[in-house]
């Protein structure tokens, strides 16, 4: 199956449409997106392969997806820890963080040293709205993601990559290629530069919306909130 | 494993606590509750056994769980239809109904005749806050649920049952015993009168909250949002 991609601009418009005429709340969408990420982690890295999942959360929606994923991972029996240095003042993010604190999930202050005692890293730093420079304190995170030998699952986009043109040509992030990627709702153009196992999550789009935005709803199986897609199934439009 | 039960009063207090100090939004809790119900339906009645799932939704939170479940069932490939005669003016319920309309889920006006073309019924009419009389137009629904030969999955409580004392001694609802029950977060005392397959859903409670309310978090498996519990595992406190 050839999967069509969604530009950064189209992804932003889709999100807006889901929350306006689509009548979804951001709470709902983030819950289902984060849930799909947690299911992918369980699929590729079940707890018996190492339960220490380090989740790097950025300041925006991508980070929120990471917070939700960390909570579900905790319920699955993992021992997640969360790096969340730029806490949003937004009430939703504060609640998602509180839900983790109530589950005694550890928040770590130093990402680089936390990597040393992790089995798998979730990159929920930047999503489809990222462009330009990686701001402090995240350059050290990108550097650690580039250098680590651990499996890394990126949420929607490998952080630091341009949504359209993929990895930076040189410098920070240019050597970062995560082992797993979960595209939310639909792949973004950057997926053509991605070399790992590729999943799609976010099983909440109606056929009418998919048609309007000209992408295909993938063939989710059973009750799964995610589906794996072949590396050669993403074509450039 | 012996499962402790949660009284109607305790269940209400728990819900309040999850949404205050627990920092959950009702959107989140309802999404996860409804998702767990949809997963139980898939488990007990996969689409190839008949995809016409009729969901009866009451005016309150139990009905909201049903609306969410219907949406997920649609994504799983079922053809759900929804009976929702007392639409709440609450914004959340209106949004949940709109999400179903966008998926072209049918809303039916006559429950009794809709039963004739259904394969399975979800009873999301009344939940743990029910007591007293079954008000119009729901007596006909309870009667149809009593009389049908179809499998019926009740959400949190068989509708018309008293949360503490179970089925009415006589009259409407006294002969209703659904084939499946999904207790949300923890079984209510009425489960001791229930004779079908019993599941628990709502995988979002922290160990601290479960301890405070003196119930056990069941042994959910893998990424499942539900777990089946034995008929003899519920004991009266």
């Amino acid at each position: 199956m050839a999967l069509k991609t969604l530009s950064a601009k189209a992804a932003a418009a889709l999100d807006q449409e889901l929350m306006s005429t689509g009548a979804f709340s951001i709470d709902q969408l983030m819950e289902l997106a984060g849930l799909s990420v947690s299911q992918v982690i369980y699929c590729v890295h079940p707890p018996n392969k190492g339960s220490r999942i380090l989740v790097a959360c950025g300041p925006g929606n991508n980070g929120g997806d990471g917070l939700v994923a960390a909570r579900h991972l905790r319920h699955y029996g993992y021992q997640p820890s969360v790096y969340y240095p730029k806490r949003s003042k937004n009430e939703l993010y504060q609640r998602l963080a509180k839900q983790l604190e109530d589950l005694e999930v550890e928040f770590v202050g130093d990402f680089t040293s936390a990597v040393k005692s992790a089995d798998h890293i979730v990159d929920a730093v930047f999503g489809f709205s990222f462009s330009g420079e990686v701001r402090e304190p995240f350059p050290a995170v990108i550097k650690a993601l580039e250098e680590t030998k651990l499996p890394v699952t990126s949420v929607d986009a490998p952080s630091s990559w341009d949504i359209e043109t993929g990895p930076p040509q040189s410098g920070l992030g240019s050597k970062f290629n995560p082992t797993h990627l979960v595209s939310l709702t639909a792949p973004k153009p950057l997926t053509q530069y991605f070399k790992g196992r590729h999943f799609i999550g976010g099983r909440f789009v109606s056929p009418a919306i998919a048609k309007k935005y000209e992408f295909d709803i993938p063939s989710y199986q059973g009750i799964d909130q995610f589906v794996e897609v072949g590396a050669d199934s993403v074509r450039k439009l």
Side-chain angles (χ1 to χ4, degrees), chain A:
Chain A
M1 178 178 55
L3 289 167
K4 297 172 189 168
T5 62
L6 205 58
S7 70
K9 197 174 161 186
L14 170 63
D15 245 29
Q16 269 311 309
E17 177 146 355
L18 287 170
M19 288 189 280
S20 53
T21 53
F24 284 93
S25 68
I26 189 168
D27 290 49
Q28 270 186 295
L29 294 177
M30 201 167 276
E31 192 63 36
L32 293 173
L35 178 71
S36 70
V37 172
S38 72
Q39 292 191 347
V40 169
I41 300 294
Y42 193 94
C43 168
V44 302
H45 195 120
N48 62 13
K49 284 178 66 181
S51 68
R52 300 169 304 173
I53 314 290
L54 174 60
V55 186
C57 296
N61 284 356
N62 206 249
D65 297 337
L67 297 174
V68 171
R71 170 162 42 82
H72 287 290
L73 289 169
R74 177 73 188 80
H75 284 297
Y76 302 159
Y78 291 89
Q79 299 297 326
S81 56
V82 174
Y83 175 72
Y84 186 35
K86 287 282 181 189
R87 293 203 179 201
S88 169
K89 286 181 180 163
N90 179 298
E91 182 242 356
L92 169 59
Y93 300 99
Q94 292 191 356
R95 290 195 287 99
L96 296 176
K98 174 68 162 64
Q99 291 161 22
L100 289 170
E101 288 160 9
D102 287 348
L103 289 166
E104 299 178 4
V105 169
E106 187 190 3
F107 284 79
V108 300
D110 180 350
F111 185 78
T112 311
S113 64
V115 167
K116 290 172 192 152
S117 52
D119 299 309
H120 192 118
I121 302 172
V122 176
D123 157 28
V125 178
F126 301 123
F128 68 74
S129 57
F130 173 79
S131 69
E133 292 280 301
V134 176
R135 295 200 189 136
E136 290 297 335
F138 295 106
V141 175
I142 305 302
K143 188 157 180 286
L145 292 176
E146 275 188 305
E147 292 175 354
T148 185
K149 297 275 191 283
L150 293 175
V152 175
T153 296
S154 287
V155 178
D156 217 21
S159 295
S160 78
W161 285 26
D162 183 274
I163 304 308
E164 314 294 330
T165 60
Q169 296 267 325
S170 61
L172 189 69
S174 60
K175 290 187 176 58
F176 175 39
N177 215 303
T179 50
H180 308 85
L181 172 66
V182 187
S183 293
L184 294 173
T185 67
K188 313 305 174 293
L190 56 71
T191 47
Q192 63 183 301
Y193 303 97
F194 169 67
K195 298 188 178 79
R197 289 179 68 184
H198 184 204
F199 301 82
I200 298 182
R203 194 176 182 178
F204 44 69
V205 177
S206 70
I209 286 273
K211 190 177 175 191
K212 177 173 176 181
Y213 285 85
E214 298 179 323
F215 65 89
D216 304 307
I217 297 177
S219 299
Y220 293 101
Q221 298 298 302
I223 60 175
D224 290 349
Q225 298 292 313
F226 71 97
V227 62
E228 184 163 7
V229 288
D232 55 355
S233 70
V234 179
R235 63 180 166 88
K236 196 174 180 184
L237 285 181

